[in-house]
Amino acid sequence: MSGRLKDWARRLKRDVVALWLAARDPRTPIGAKLLAGAVAAYALSPIDLIPDFIPVLGYIDDLIIVPAGIWLSLKLIPAALMDELRVEADRRGERPTSRGAMFVIVLVWVALAYGAYLLFVDRGLIRY
């Protein structure tokens, strides 16, 4: 069981890099390119939208959202192209990072914090 889980995780990491490559490949259909780019950027971002320290919710993105995005992206990319990109991802070995996605996630958190401030403090719901 442990070996199968490690193998699944290894394939998932390889597929994220392959999606990152697919988002930059001119042979990838535009819809698949956009979805693959978004999934890869989120998966490769050093910051999670839902931090892992939040009980249960923190792991939903890692266990459900990212694999579901990968699955859908794989359905949209031609199988022969995906096979080629997987070989390239295996060859590269290193995992790229997505600083752009990190920037977007930080902006989302800042916007949420500002919205909470406006909702609670500015309206007088919380006084200090």
Side-chain angles (χ1 to χ4, degrees), residues 62-76:
D62 298 328
L63 297 175
I64 297 172
I65 297 172
V66 171
I70 291 171
W71 176 80
L72 184 57
S73 296
L74 294 178
K75 294 293 181 190
L76 298 174

Side-chain angles (χ1 to χ4, degrees), residues 23-38:
R24 288 154 180 75
D25 194 300
R27 298 171 291 172
T28 305
I30 189 70
K33 189 179 284 217
L34 294 172
L35 182 61

Side-chain angles (χ1 to χ4, degrees), residues 12 30 40 77 81 102 123:
L12 200 66
I30 189 70
I77 298 171
L81 176 60
M102 179 183 72
R123 288 189 180 178

Side-chain angles (χ1 to χ4, degrees), residues 14 21 25 30-31 40 46 54 79 85 96 111-112 119:
R14 180 208 54 209
L21 294 169
D25 194 300
I30 189 70
I54 297 174
L85 295 171
L112 288 173
L119 180 66

Side-chain angles (χ1 to χ4, degrees), residues 11-12 14-19 21-22 70-71 73-75 77-93:
R11 285 193 320 263
L12 200 66
R14 180 208 54 209
D15 282 352
V16 166
V17 175
L19 290 179
L21 294 169
I70 291 171
W71 176 80
S73 296
L74 294 178
K75 294 293 181 190
I77 298 171
L81 176 60
M82 198 62 209
D83 290 341
E84 184 181 321
L85 295 171
R86 283 182 176 132
V87 169
E88 176 66 19
D90 281 335
R91 188 190 66 74
R92 286 183 178 222

Side-chain angles (χ1 to χ4, degrees), residues 4-53:
R4 286 181 32 204
L5 191 60
K6 285 181 182 180
D7 188 47
W8 177 77
R10 201 173 301 116
R11 285 193 320 263
L12 200 66
K13 287 180 183 180
R14 180 208 54 209
D15 282 352
V16 166
V17 175
L19 290 179
W20 180 77
L21 294 169
R24 288 154 180 75
D25 194 300
R27 298 171 291 172
T28 305
I30 189 70
K33 189 179 284 217
L34 294 172
L35 182 61
V39 169
Y42 182 75
L44 297 171
S45 172
I47 299 176
D48 283 345
L49 184 60
I50 305 169
D52 290 341
F53 63 81

